[in-house]
């Protein structure tokens, strides 16, 4: 009689399903995010999905919550500045978010925003993230002595720039793209209303 070696069953936790679902979302959009696709990708049965989630909607909400928590954590980290170094941090935020980000990160961002156009719950989470994003950036401008209305405009301009440039292919537009980016950063960050200690 032959000895049959049973392969150990793969044990997936909830996080593994969320990570796989996020990858599918980035690649195929919300319409492609189906339980069957995930199970096949993870090489498990659909039944194991239901150990962790009530249904597809439960998984979708977990994906959104994970995206939300990660974005907010990153935003708070990137906009935190020591007193007196807020202007430096504004330049840092412009630089970090306008450089080439990971392809996966950009695809996830676009997929979540596309999803939010069709789903009120997704839209509410995206709106919450954007609100925190804008408020954190505005706080940096306010700490530099910029008045509230101007600070609001500048933080909106900052994110309009970093999101816009992430969608563009602009390498052949100017012979010195680095200079163009520095000039734009100055236009966003510098204000005549800044306190001397910040603008010096």
């Amino acid at each position: 009689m032959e000895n049959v070696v049973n392969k150990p069953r793969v044990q997936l936790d909830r996080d593994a399903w969320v990570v796989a679902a996020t990858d599918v979302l980035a690649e195929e959009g919300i319409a492609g995010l189906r339980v069957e696709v995930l199970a096949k990708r993870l090489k498990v049965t659909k039944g194991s999905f239901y150990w962790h989630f009530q249904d597809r909607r439960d998984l979708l909400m977990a994906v959104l919550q994970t995206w939300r928590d990660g974005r907010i954590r990153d935003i708070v980290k990137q906009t935190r500045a020591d007193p007196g170094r807020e202007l430096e941090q504004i330049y840092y935020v412009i630089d970090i978010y306008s450089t080439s980000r990971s392809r996966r990160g950009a695809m996830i961002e676009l997929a979540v925003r596309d999803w939010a156009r069709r789903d009120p719950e997704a839209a509410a989470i995206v709106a919450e993230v954007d609100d925190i994003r804008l408020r954190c950036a505005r706080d940096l401008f306010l700490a530099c002595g910029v008045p509230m209305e101007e600070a609001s405009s500048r933080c909106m301009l900052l994110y309009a720039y970093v999101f816009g440039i992430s969608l563009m292919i602009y390498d052949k537009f100017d012979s010195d793209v680095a200079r163009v980016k520095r000039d734009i950063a100055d236009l966003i960050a510098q204000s005549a209303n800044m306190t001397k200690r910040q603008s010096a």
Side-chain angles (χ1 to χ4, degrees), residues 109-155:
E109 183 83 29
L110 287 172
V112 169
R113 289 181 177 281
D114 185 55
W115 177 8
R117 291 171 52 222
R118 299 170 179 83
D119 184 299
E121 287 181 89
I125 286 177
V126 170
E128 179 186 1
V129 168
D130 283 347
D131 186 64
I132 291 168
R133 182 177 269 139
L134 291 166
R135 287 176 187 277
C136 286
R138 184 172 64 190
D139 286 346
L140 289 174
F141 284 105
L142 291 172
C144 293
V146 177
M148 174 65 84
E149 287 186 4
E150 183 183 341
S152 294
S153 299
R154 285 183 181 277
C155 73

Side-chain angles (χ1 to χ4, degrees), residues 1-195:
M1 201 172 165
E2 289 183 4
N3 289 331
V4 178
V5 178
N6 291 325
K7 291 182 180 178
R9 296 185 74 179
V10 177
Q11 296 293 322
L12 294 176
D13 61 11
R14 187 177 170 92
D15 290 343
W17 283 97
V18 171
V19 169
T22 303
D23 288 341
V24 171
L25 175 68
E27 294 163 16
E28 301 180 34
I30 193 67
L33 214 173
R34 299 187 310 275
V35 176
E36 297 84 2
V37 172
L38 286 174
K40 187 174 181 182
R41 180 179 283 225
L42 294 168
K43 298 178 180 167
V44 295
T45 64
K46 274 176 61 177
S48 65
F49 169 83
Y50 293 102
W51 279 103
H52 303 291
F53 302 95
Q54 292 178 359
D55 51 26
R56 179 177 180 265
R57 187 69 184 172
D58 189 23
L59 171 65
L60 295 182
M61 291 303 101
V63 169
L64 270 179
Q65 195 64 41
T66 300
W67 176 80
R68 172 200 174 276
D69 294 347
R71 296 311 310 133
I72 290 173
R73 192 168 44 248
D74 185 56
I75 291 160
V76 170
K77 178 183 172 186
Q78 302 297 359
T79 55
R80 186 178 295 129
D82 293 329
R85 303 191 71 176
E86 291 87 357
L87 180 59
E88 181 181 328
Q89 197 67 25
I90 291 169
Y91 275 102
Y92 176 76
V93 169
I94 295 168
D95 180 59
I96 198 84
Y97 287 131
S98 64
T99 54
S100 303
R101 295 185 293 171
S102 76
R103 182 166 159 25
R104 181 178 181 271
M107 288 174 68
I108 293 168
E109 183 83 29
L110 287 172
V112 169
R113 289 181 177 281
D114 185 55
W115 177 8
R117 291 171 52 222
R118 299 170 179 83
D119 184 299
E121 287 181 89
I125 286 177
V126 170
E128 179 186 1
V129 168
D130 283 347
D131 186 64
I132 291 168
R133 182 177 269 139
L134 291 166
R135 287 176 187 277
C136 286
R138 184 172 64 190
D139 286 346
L140 289 174
F141 284 105
L142 291 172
C144 293
V146 177
M148 174 65 84
E149 287 186 4
E150 183 183 341
S152 294
S153 299
R154 285 183 181 277
C155 73
M156 185 75 79
L157 181 61
L158 188 162
Y159 281 108
Y161 166 62
V162 298
F163 277 115
I165 202 168
S166 73
L167 300 173
M168 297 173 70
I169 300 172
Y170 51 83
D171 294 340
K172 296 180 181 178
F173 169 68
D174 193 278
S175 60
D176 191 354
V177 171
R179 178 200 53 77
V180 171
K181 286 186 166 187
R182 283 194 306 273
D183 289 350
I184 292 170
D186 286 340
L187 289 169
I188 294 168
Q190 294 287 346
S191 166
N193 290 307
M194 286 180 169
T195 58

